[in-house]
Amino acid sequence: MENYEAKISIKSWAEEDRPREKLLAQGRRVLSDAELIAILIGSGSPNESAVDLSKRILLHYAGDLNSLGKGSVNDLSKFKGIGEAKAITIIAALELGRRRKETEHQTTEKIGSSKDVFHLMHRYFADLNHEEFWIILLNRANKVLSRHLISKGGQAGTVADPKIIFQTAIENHAASIILAHNHPSGNLKPSQADLDLTKKLRAAGSLLDLAIPDHLIFTDKHYFSFADEGLM
């Protein structure tokens, strides 16, 4: 116990717990993930430095910032030394990082393959622990007109209303619609409900002269394309 107390005394950890000064002197690139998080939370506790607390949080998430980004205020508040305010600060910072990626793609995109859809939509599904259903509307040149969140639900699924999908497409003068939703479980295999909905929407779209060339299922790092797998 004496050795542990000596290790965590202010005198012993203050030297390493200076990420702000390190950033000022050497720049942000040299800081570790734990040091960056330590700047966000500001301080540790009498028994643990902010850097050590940040390391403990990262260890819990196996060093994966994407997994950390999925954490809720309640999840982060379970760590001793992290209250609601610090949890909110961490979540807000990670969300800003996600939105920064989003602003890198402001030019009009043209869809030529399922990979193009993945690059376009991956940032919307990243870090979600619930299911969302989106549509991408294209013009006749396959350029993206807009993206629309149709519905969101729990981990088990969400309900996509065909009336809302086609109303949105018609109002935006779309020539075709690409469907996209995520599986928070990480399972890329389409369910029978996914297959049935896709078939139903394609049939309705043909009556309205609105093509549905593909439907993608997203996980954090991968995707499943109905078109690529011959299911369209």
Side-chain angles (χ1 to χ4, degrees):
M1 185 68 177
E2 290 180 0
N3 290 336
Y4 180 69
E5 289 296 338
K7 179 182 178 182
I8 61 177
S9 67
I10 291 177
K11 184 176 180 180
S12 65
W13 62 251
E15 190 65 31
E16 67 173 294
D17 194 19
R18 294 178 182 173
R20 292 179 180 82
E21 289 79 0
K22 187 175 179 180
L23 188 150
L24 285 171
Q26 303 178 49
R28 60 180 183 252
R29 302 289 184 187
V30 303
L31 271 66
S32 67
D33 292 344
E35 288 171 325
L36 290 170
I37 294 172
I39 290 176
L40 293 174
I41 64 179
S43 62
S45 68
N47 295 328
E48 189 174 38
S49 72
V51 172
D52 286 336
L53 173 55
S54 300
K55 288 179 180 177
R56 183 158 58 89
I57 294 171
L58 285 171
L59 181 63
H60 176 80
Y61 289 100
D64 186 353
L65 291 177
N66 287 324
S67 295
L68 175 59
K70 294 180 180 180
S72 65
V73 171
N74 185 57
D75 292 333
L76 295 177
S77 296
K78 292 177 181 178
F79 292 94
K80 186 176 181 181
I82 298 292
E84 183 179 89
K86 290 181 179 180
I88 290 172
T89 299
I90 294 172
I91 290 172
L94 291 170
E95 176 62 14
L96 277 174
R98 188 193 66 78
R99 293 187 185 187
R100 180 186 175 188
K101 287 184 180 180
E102 186 175 318
T103 60
E104 294 173 355
H105 302 270
Q106 294 298 322
T107 56
T108 301
E109 300 93 344
K110 184 173 182 178
I111 301 300
S113 67
S114 60
K115 185 175 290 187
D116 292 337
V117 180
F118 176 75
H119 290 316
L120 174 70
M121 296 300 297
H122 176 257
R123 58 189 180 273
Y124 293 97
F125 293 117
D127 302 335
L128 292 182
N129 54 17
H130 62 274
E131 190 168 307
E132 292 189 354
F133 195 101
W134 288 68
I135 59 172
I136 304 102
L137 303 182
L138 308 178
N139 64 15
R140 296 195 180 278
N142 285 335
K143 288 187 176 181
V144 176
L145 295 173
S146 54
R147 288 145 287 196
H148 302 268
L149 173 62
I150 299 300
S151 63
K152 59 182 177 180
Q155 293 182 342
T158 184
V159 177
D161 189 337
K163 295 189 294 295
I164 296 176
I165 291 173
F166 289 114
Q167 179 182 358
T168 303
I170 292 170
E171 287 177 350
N172 287 274
H173 308 289
S176 59
I177 309 167
I178 292 177
L179 314 173
H181 78 280
N182 64 311
H183 283 177
S185 65
N187 180 14
L188 280 173
K189 184 178 179 180
S191 66
Q192 188 59 50
D194 294 334
L195 295 169
D196 292 343
L197 175 64
T198 304
K199 183 178 180 179
K200 179 180 179 180
L201 291 174
R202 288 195 72 205
S206 65
L207 295 175
L208 297 169
D209 196 25
L210 281 166
I212 299 181
D214 205 352
H215 182 174
L216 274 72
I217 297 172
F218 286 73
T219 61
D220 272 350
K221 297 180 181 179
H222 304 285
Y223 70 94
F224 178 96
S225 163
F226 281 57
D228 291 351
E229 299 300 325
L231 296 175
M232 297 300 291

